[in-house]
Amino acid sequence: MAATKTRPRGGTKNTRPVSRTIDDLLADFGTTMPRKEAPAPTPPAEKLFPHTVKLSGVRRMGHGWAPTMPPLAGYQMTSEETPVLWPLISGNGLPPWGAEMGYDVLSGGKFYCDPMGWVLDDSIPVTNPNIFIFGKPGRGKSATVKAFMIRMIKFGYRSLVLGDVKDEYEDLAKFLGVDPFRIGPGLPGRINPLDLGPLGVDWEKQTAEEQEKRATVIFNRWLMLIRGLVASQGVVFSPTEERVINKVLRHLTGWSAGASRLKPVTIPQVWAALDSPTKDLVTDCRYESPQAFFDGTRPLRDALGALCEGSLQGMFDTESTFEPDWRKPIQTLSLRSLHETGNKVAVGIALMCLNSWGQGMREAASAGDRRIVLRDEAWLQTRLSLEAVEALDANLRLSRTEGDIQLVTYHKPSDPLSAGDQGSQAAQIAKDLLNLSDVRILMGQDESVADELGRLMGLSEMQQGVITNWAMQEKGRALWMVGDQRYKVQTLLTPLERRLTYTNDAIDPGA
């Protein structure tokens, strides 16, 4: 209740009574009323743009004031037409998962690489996880590969280096607690390319149908390897030779006799079986006599004999002494001692043998066993023969099914085309290898390969300039081709990675 006081009667007519609050009334009696404190006012919502600017700007020096508004033109176009009119505007980057490789120079954001994740994402134009890397020596090709391997470990990937020709991955393997397995003249290491692999484990426990499936896979793998080895010696591998080798392999393993367990087979045993054929083998191969068998298989026997007695003697002619531990983050097989002999043909044949062995070791891999399979200096293998090219072609085509990331390194895009004569079947298949990889990393190259890059990779003149100019100014720079998308990427290395990826020890006296 509010008390009022009025003015004296002599006041004016418009005089109004003065209102007093209950606090004023209690104060007259020397007391006060306790009161509850009012809640603190809620702060206003934060404004993204607290200071608005008029369309005409602020009329001050350097504040963009304009007396009249400029006319604005409106355009309508599709997302495919936009980058044609504005080619320097960067599009959306790739999803932020996988190995963090560096940063995208055009957008300034981080660049991530996850080929298998890209395959599973329909919004990314990638249908297979294969990676081809091209780069002039010294442009950071191997450093990029090693950084990718290291950073994919935390995502469950392990690496398999099928033929470290220059021991570039030795320091990385030792850092991860793995000793490289060495193969070469005079070394005790052995790899049997005709190893049964995981498919030969618990053979007798399998059903007849499962044994038939496994035998088909094993014999086809062996047949492809022997075809490539024979062709590398310049010997034609016709259907007749294929039938002979098929019969020999089935006789040696005991499959043709219905053995409950397949016997191990080596290349010298195949050669010996051809040199001393049994009556059953001669009959199964449809030869009238042993002499007819000898005459018909002489080139085949000589080709296999050259492999057993030549530069590869003591490396691939007995049982394997290497049992890979797939729980380790990396497995690497060194060919440096063989490479130092200068025999490029022998190195190529060794790579083909390792390729067959590695494929056998992965035939029964579990679904969660993710692997990065590195094929370094692949041109040494593809130059051997048509069959060698077909072997690499088969591995690339099966990568999506097997769940492996096939990573192939070349110096320049013309390297795959050096397989066979120009226009030959081998050259055509090697050219098609480029179409089996949706991820291509193009590192620095000389101007002399600019036209070649544009023709083979479908690059624009501006993209060619990125490779022959910008990427040549610093290591680790590359044009990443992810499907039909292009990214200008600078790979970044930690101090530890720089030490593990340094490959100039031989020419740097202070290293």
Side-chain angles (χ1 to χ4, degrees):
M1 172 180 181
T4 61
K5 64 179 181 178
T6 59
R7 294 183 180 274
R9 292 182 179 274
T12 62
K13 183 178 180 180
N14 295 331
T15 299
R16 299 178 61 187
V18 179
S19 298
R20 303 183 67 203
T21 64
I22 189 65
D23 292 330
D24 296 331
L25 179 61
L26 293 175
D28 291 342
F29 294 94
T31 184
T32 59
M33 176 73 74
R35 293 190 176 276
K36 183 178 180 181
E37 294 185 1
T42 303
E46 182 180 358
K47 295 183 178 180
L48 295 178
F49 305 99
H51 304 291
T52 59
V53 179
K54 297 181 180 180
L55 294 178
S56 58
V58 179
R59 192 170 184 178
R60 289 172 54 191
M61 181 68 71
H63 282 67
W65 178 82
T68 59
M69 293 299 297
L72 299 178
Y75 299 94
Q76 289 186 348
M77 64 189 69
T78 65
S79 58
E80 295 180 350
E81 297 168 341
T82 304
V84 177
L85 296 178
W86 288 279
L88 300 182
I89 297 179
S90 177
N92 295 331
L94 295 170
W97 64 63
E100 185 178 336
M101 299 302 299
Y103 65 92
D104 184 354
V105 176
L106 296 179
S107 66
K110 294 181 180 180
F111 185 84
Y112 298 84
C113 179
D114 183 13
M116 199 63 70
W118 293 343
V119 172
L120 300 176
D121 191 338
D122 294 336
S123 64
I124 302 176
V126 172
T127 59
N128 64 75
N130 302 326
I131 302 177
F132 274 29
I133 300 183
F134 301 92
K136 181 182 178 181
R139 293 296 91 208
K141 184 168 71 266
S142 62
T144 300
V145 173
K146 295 172 190 175
F148 177 67
M149 288 179 173
I150 294 173
R151 297 170 186 182
M152 290 297 283
I153 291 177
K154 67 178 181 180
F155 297 100
Y157 284 87
R158 298 177 176 89
S159 299
L160 174 61
V161 183
L162 287 176
D164 187 358
V165 178
K166 302 175 184 177
D167 273 358
E168 292 183 326
Y169 299 88
E170 180 179 1
D171 290 342
L172 176 60
K174 290 183 176 180
F175 173 76
L176 296 174
V178 180
D179 290 328
F181 186 73
R182 303 183 183 279
I183 305 172
L187 297 178
R190 300 288 187 272
I191 287 291
N192 179 20
L194 300 182
D195 202 311
L196 291 172
L199 293 183
V201 178
D202 296 331
W203 182 270
E204 62 278 3
K205 297 180 181 179
Q206 308 302 320
T207 63
E209 182 180 0
E210 179 63 22
Q211 288 181 351
E212 181 70 33
K213 290 181 181 179
R214 293 191 176 193
T216 301
V217 174
I218 292 174
F219 290 134
N220 285 343
R221 172 167 56 85
W222 289 353
L223 188 62
M224 180 176 293
L225 170 65
I226 295 177
R227 180 190 292 116
L229 294 176
V230 171
S232 68
Q233 306 295 311
V235 176
V236 177
F237 198 84
S238 68
T240 301
E241 282 74 21
E242 180 175 339
R243 179 181 176 83
V244 170
I245 293 297
N246 246 324
K247 295 298 182 181
V248 169
L249 293 175
R250 282 163 168 74
H251 275 259
L252 291 176
T253 57
W255 175 254
S256 58
S260 60
R261 184 177 181 86
L262 295 185
K263 300 177 183 178
V265 178
T266 63
I267 292 179
Q269 288 177 343
V270 176
W271 179 40
L274 294 174
D275 257 357
S276 303
T278 62
K279 293 182 179 180
D280 292 339
L281 180 60
V282 173
T283 303
D284 288 345
C285 294
R286 297 180 299 186
Y287 284 99
E288 297 179 356
S289 64
Q291 186 60 46
F293 180 91
F294 288 135
D295 295 339
T297 60
R298 183 180 301 277
L300 177 62
R301 289 184 289 116
D302 290 344
L304 291 177
L307 294 173
C308 298
E309 298 178 339
S311 57
L312 297 182
Q313 184 177 4
M315 286 180 279
F316 302 99
D317 53 5
T318 186
E319 291 299 315
S320 298
T321 59
F322 173 58
E323 290 293 336
D325 184 357
W326 297 119
R327 296 171 297 178
K328 298 289 186 180
I330 189 172
Q331 297 291 338
T332 174
L333 295 97
S334 171
L335 290 176
R336 181 174 181 176
S337 60
L338 180 61
H339 177 69
E340 290 176 346
T341 63
N343 192 338
K344 294 183 178 180
V345 175
V347 175
I349 293 175
L351 288 173
M352 187 160 49
C353 291
L354 290 178
N355 173 62
S356 178
W357 175 87
Q359 182 180 349
M361 294 298 104
R362 298 290 295 155
E363 283 171 347
S366 59
D369 187 4
R370 302 179 177 180
R371 192 74 50 175
I372 299 172
V373 182
L374 173 62
R375 304 180 184 279
D376 197 20
E377 306 289 354
W379 61 274
L380 290 170
Q381 175 183 340
T382 54
R383 283 184 179 181
L384 288 176
S385 62
L386 168 63
E387 288 74 14
V389 179
E390 290 178 338
L392 180 58
D393 178 85
N395 292 130
L396 294 173
R397 293 182 184 276
L398 292 175
S399 61
R400 180 182 176 119
T401 303
E402 296 175 348
D404 291 341
I405 298 177
Q406 300 285 342
L407 205 159
V408 185
T409 67
Y410 286 107
H411 289 305
K412 54 185 179 179
S414 63
D415 285 345
L417 305 184
S418 61
D421 299 328
Q422 185 176 3
S424 64
Q425 184 179 2
Q428 184 59 45
I429 295 177
K431 183 179 180 180
D432 292 340
L433 291 178
L434 299 177
N435 298 324
L436 297 178
S437 171
D438 284 342
V439 182
R440 307 169 191 175
I441 305 174
L442 307 183
M443 311 197 78
Q445 298 282 4
D446 292 329
E447 290 284 350
S448 58
V449 300
D451 294 337
E452 178 186 332
L453 288 169
R455 182 177 66 258
L456 294 177
M457 300 292 182
L459 302 180
S460 65
E461 185 175 349
M462 181 182 298
Q463 292 166 351
Q464 293 180 33
V466 170
I467 300 168
T468 58
N469 186 8
W470 175 77
M472 290 291 288
Q473 297 174 10
E474 187 175 338
K475 293 183 179 181
R477 292 181 173 182
L479 178 69
W480 284 63
M481 303 175 62
V482 182
D484 57 1
Q485 301 174 5
R486 308 291 186 265
Y487 300 92
K488 190 176 177 181
V489 179
Q490 170 69 68
T491 300
L492 298 179
L493 302 176
T494 65
L496 174 61
E497 289 173 335
R498 288 185 181 277
R499 180 172 62 84
L500 294 176
T501 59
Y502 189 72
T503 58
N504 293 333
D505 296 320
I507 61 176
D508 187 356

